[in-house]
Amino acid sequence: MPQAGLLLQVDGSRHDWLQGRGPRMTLVGGIDDASGTVTGATFREQEDAAGYLEILRDTARRHGVPAAVYRDRHTIFETSDRALTLEEQLADVRLPTQVGHALDELGIVSIAAHSPQAKGRIERLWGTFQDRLVTELRLAQAKDREAANRVLAAFLPRFNRRFTVAPLDPTPAWRPAHGRAALERICCLKYRRVVANDHTVRAGASILQLPARADHRSYAGTRVELQLRLDGRMVVWDGQRELLAVTAPADAIQLRALGSARATLGSRAPSRAGYKPAANHPWRHAPIGRQPPKGTESVSR
């Protein structure tokens, strides 16, 4: 691309980055196609949605929002090979993944590559990092993910100063980033929830108690969004404001129990759930071939 910010290549590289001193990790990163600037990178235990959301957030903060991302066909980005859920059939739309939802909110076009060779710039970057960055990690005696990320944070500015090239067009195409609070709200994991009658929201193995409303109205039946923020908080969001914010549990098993990788259909204002069909609604009648319960009449077909 001729301008910085027109295309961001993103990918993950699974490698023995610590050379046996610690666990194998995946380095998730993004590189600008025009200039070769590494806009963000982070070590993760595995290639996951949280890693890509962190890259998007850091890129938007430091440079701006790119026009498009170029990525592989990992299920982190798309789920086109699975059957539609009942909710998706009713809405006549396929729910995006967590990363796909964030890309939509940021207005970023998502382009799938058809082969690793198509993402040549970032594939070459991994080859370079598996030489230069591995040496930096060995010299710093990094033995875990936290130490590796500290070494990476110091390494990236030096790497970019040395290897960034001038784009063909010097006018950058980065779009203005959203505010810090908005980025935290967009670049996070989101799960649909309905507030229980006792004003609680289930978060995996945890139960979150919502505070009483100032107007003394009930939250029961309200659809909310449970957000797992990158800063380690769990936030209950009603579409307009935070109803509750607590520290997320450190236990990975509890976090995995939150739900699937699919995101919500979008941020919506609070609404009441629990539609109840009328007594004479067709859904309440027996299927063809069965006798309806006494006191009811079958629907003529």
Side-chain angles (χ1 to χ4, degrees):
M1 290 293 175
Q3 294 173 275
L6 283 181
L7 185 68
L8 184 71
Q9 294 191 23
V10 295
D11 195 20
S13 174
R14 185 74 173 174
H15 185 65
D16 185 14
W17 295 98
L18 299 178
Q19 297 180 308
R21 298 185 307 275
R24 291 179 65 90
M25 301 179 297
T26 297
L27 179 59
V28 179
I31 184 171
D32 179 62
D33 186 70
S35 65
T37 300
V38 181
T39 62
T42 183
F43 282 109
R44 303 290 298 176
E45 293 180 2
Q46 58 188 1
E47 189 174 5
D48 58 7
Y52 284 104
L53 290 171
E54 184 176 340
I55 298 307
L56 288 175
R57 181 198 63 183
D58 292 348
T59 298
R61 284 180 180 175
R62 297 168 183 166
H63 305 275
V65 178
V69 296
Y70 200 52
R71 43 79 177 180
D72 58 23
R73 294 181 176 273
H74 198 287
T75 54
I76 289 174
F77 300 100
E78 58 184 34
T79 54
S80 58
D81 57 341
R82 61 170 174 80
L84 293 177
T85 65
L86 177 59
E87 181 181 2
E88 290 172 329
Q89 293 177 43
L90 293 174
D92 194 27
V93 65
R94 186 179 294 277
L95 288 175
T97 63
Q98 298 283 2
V99 175
H101 188 262
L103 292 173
D104 288 343
E105 285 198 75
L106 291 170
I108 300 174
V109 177
S110 182
I111 305 173
H114 291 277
S115 67
Q117 292 77 14
K119 303 189 279 53
R121 186 178 285 279
I122 198 164
E123 293 294 342
R124 291 192 296 272
L125 177 70
W126 296 146
T128 303
F129 274 16
Q130 288 170 13
D131 177 22
R132 293 175 179 270
L133 181 54
V134 163
T135 301
E136 295 277 345
L137 293 169
R138 184 177 67 250
L139 293 174
Q141 287 298 299
K143 298 180 180 180
D144 54 33
R145 187 162 64 94
E146 290 73 19
N149 274 321
R150 289 195 294 269
V151 173
L152 178 63
F155 170 80
L156 285 181
R158 301 198 307 270
F159 182 88
N160 284 333
R161 283 195 297 269
R162 181 169 182 180
F163 294 103
T164 294
V165 298
L168 293 177
D169 187 338
T171 304
W174 300 104
R175 289 181 287 117
H178 297 65
R180 189 180 188 90
L183 283 174
E184 290 292 343
R185 190 168 63 250
I186 294 172
C187 298
C188 66
L189 302 175
K190 303 174 182 180
Y191 306 94
R192 299 176 297 276
R193 291 294 185 268
V194 177
V195 180
N197 290 336
D198 58 354
H199 288 197
T200 60
V201 175
R202 181 170 291 278
S206 303
I207 301 295
L208 305 181
Q209 180 68 59
L210 298 181
R213 294 178 58 154
D215 56 7
H216 304 292
R217 295 179 60 187
S218 174
Y219 283 118
T222 301
R223 293 179 183 178
V224 295
E225 199 172 68
L226 178 63
Q227 300 177 351
L228 182 59
R229 301 281 181 91
L230 297 178
D231 60 6
R233 295 184 302 150
M234 282 196 302
V235 174
V236 178
W237 178 261
D238 72 348
Q240 302 294 330
R241 62 191 182 280
E242 294 182 7
L243 302 181
L244 179 70
V246 297
T247 302
D251 187 355
I253 295 178
Q254 292 194 45
L255 296 180
R256 283 197 295 271
L258 283 175
S260 67
R262 293 190 300 277
T264 59
L265 280 171
S267 298
R268 296 176 177 144
S271 60
R272 295 287 178 178
Y275 166 70
K276 186 176 182 180
N280 62 347
H281 195 282
W283 291 356
R284 291 187 175 276
H285 293 280
I288 297 175
R290 291 187 185 179
Q291 293 298 322
K294 292 182 178 180
T296 63
E297 298 179 0
S298 61
V299 178
S300 60
R301 299 179 183 273

